[in-house]
Amino acid sequence: MNNTVILSCILCAFNAEKTVLRTLGSLITSSKINYEIIIIDDGSTDSTKRLIEIYKNFANIKIISQENSGLGAARNKGLKAAVGEYVIFCDSDDVFFIDNLLNLASEAESGGYDIACSESYALVDSTEISDFWDTHIIKMMSKSSPEVFSFAKYLLQPSVCNKLFNRKFIIAADIKFGEGVLFEDVQFTTHALLSTRKIMLSKKPVFLYDFHGNGSITSNKSLKRFDIFKNMYAVMPIVCGCKLNKLEFSAICISFMRISLWCLDNIPVTHVEIFKKYIMEFFTLIKSEVEAQHLDIINKILSDRWDRRANFMLGAIWHSGLSDQEISGKFEEANLII
């Protein structure tokens, strides 16, 4: 009898009493037994721990409690406890399609893939269903030539919730989440994309991202968004050490700029100008010998306005010859891109 655990679902929860049972409910609905759910209670002070313990007698569920250490540390601890061939990192307020996840893990294992990325969805304000952040990139890559695929993979967004990772690949490459900072998946996913040689793309949706205004980091205006720079600076030595070609380097910078612009759109108005300066400083420092033509080549394959905005701003910072004050004005111009 084959007792292989094909998938480890690592679910981290902190003060998630309003949503964690919905997330857990979506993960336990499969009749298959070849997967595990590892729940990390990250020092919750509400009833999260009590609700999680309802499932403590389930054979395929492990519950780990720790003092509050942040999502990065919780995910790293869950990864150490996992035994599955593949891992998925689950937020405690989203809905997952477990049978699709298990089928995707089996397909990825059969093909020897390091990473499997799926087209998934977002539920916006409990009323509208839209594509998840990088679904458009996955669709584009599935139809692209090998030449385009080789650099387009770096346009994938850092979120880990629509991606399966081969656990042995992650361990061998020593890929970890940043700890003590928000946007910790920027370091993890970027390092994984830089290390992989084999990515699988799938049309099977694996989760529904619940985007709502409950005060979470993804839905409120918070100064914690400045943590994006800590993550990007932390991963740049790995980026530079990989000796990317100019198209690959441009693509990864577009991904970084995209999330930076998203943060800029969602910080208090009192800090907008200083955040712009941080963006200009970071991307000026990492400018390589990338010419405008490389951004033009990538722009031709971009369909999402966020990616086009990012491409535009890189061109303004790298190739416009404008002063910092003039470049600052380009942020407003970028908002008009459709």
Side-chain angles (χ1 to χ4, degrees), residues 177-197:
F177 289 92
E179 298 191 8
V181 292
L182 297 175
F183 305 107
E184 67 292 320
D185 45 5
V186 170
Q187 293 186 51
F188 186 93
T189 304
T190 301
H191 193 174
L193 291 173
L194 290 165
S195 302
T196 183
R197 292 179 179 270

Side-chain angles (χ1 to χ4, degrees), residues 147-164:
E147 291 76 18
V148 171
F149 192 103
S150 66
F151 68 80
K153 72 178 184 179
Y154 295 113
L155 295 169
L156 290 166
Q157 285 295 286
S159 175
V160 292
C161 293
N162 66 330
K163 300 172 180 70
L164 300 187

Side-chain angles (χ1 to χ4, degrees), residues 3-11 24 27-28 30 32-39 58-64 77-90 98 101-102 167:
N3 294 318
T4 299
V5 176
I6 189 65
L7 179 67
S8 295
C9 303
I10 299 173
L11 170 61
L24 267 172
L27 289 170
I28 64 173
S30 178
K32 298 178 181 178
I33 60 172
N34 61 338
Y35 73 105
E36 64 175 0
I37 302 170
I38 301 173
I39 310 170
F58 279 55
N60 66 333
I61 291 181
K62 302 176 184 176
I63 298 175
I64 300 172
K77 179 169 284 190
L79 184 59
K80 287 182 180 179
V83 298
E85 296 297 314
Y86 286 82
V87 295
I88 177 81
F89 297 95
C90 307
I98 186 60
L101 276 170
L102 292 171
R167 185 176 60 84

Side-chain angles (χ1 to χ4, degrees), residues 20-72:
V20 70
L21 289 185
R22 182 185 65 177
T23 302
L24 267 172
S26 70
L27 289 170
I28 64 173
T29 55
S30 178
S31 60
K32 298 178 181 178
I33 60 172
N34 61 338
Y35 73 105
E36 64 175 0
I37 302 170
I38 301 173
I39 310 170
I40 312 294
D41 172 40
D42 188 30
S44 296
T45 57
D46 64 358
S47 61
T48 296
K49 184 174 182 180
R50 177 177 60 80
L51 294 173
I52 288 172
E53 288 182 345
I54 294 173
Y55 295 90
K56 64 183 179 182
N57 293 323
F58 279 55
N60 66 333
I61 291 181
K62 302 176 184 176
I63 298 175
I64 300 172
S65 295
Q66 65 176 29
E67 293 184 3
N68 181 245
S69 303
L71 185 55

Side-chain angles (χ1 to χ4, degrees), residues 1 19 82 111 113 116 130 143 174 184 189 206 226 240 284 320 337:
M1 181 176 179
T19 59
Y113 290 94
S130 64
K143 302 175 183 177
D174 194 28
E184 67 292 320
T189 304
V206 296
F226 277 89
C240 294
T284 298
S320 67
I337 292 177

Side-chain angles (χ1 to χ4, degrees), residues 97-116:
F97 310 136
I98 186 60
D99 281 323
N100 280 359
L101 276 170
L102 292 171
N103 289 335
L104 186 61
S106 294
E107 292 174 21
E109 182 187 36
S110 297
Y113 290 94
D114 298 323
I115 305 171

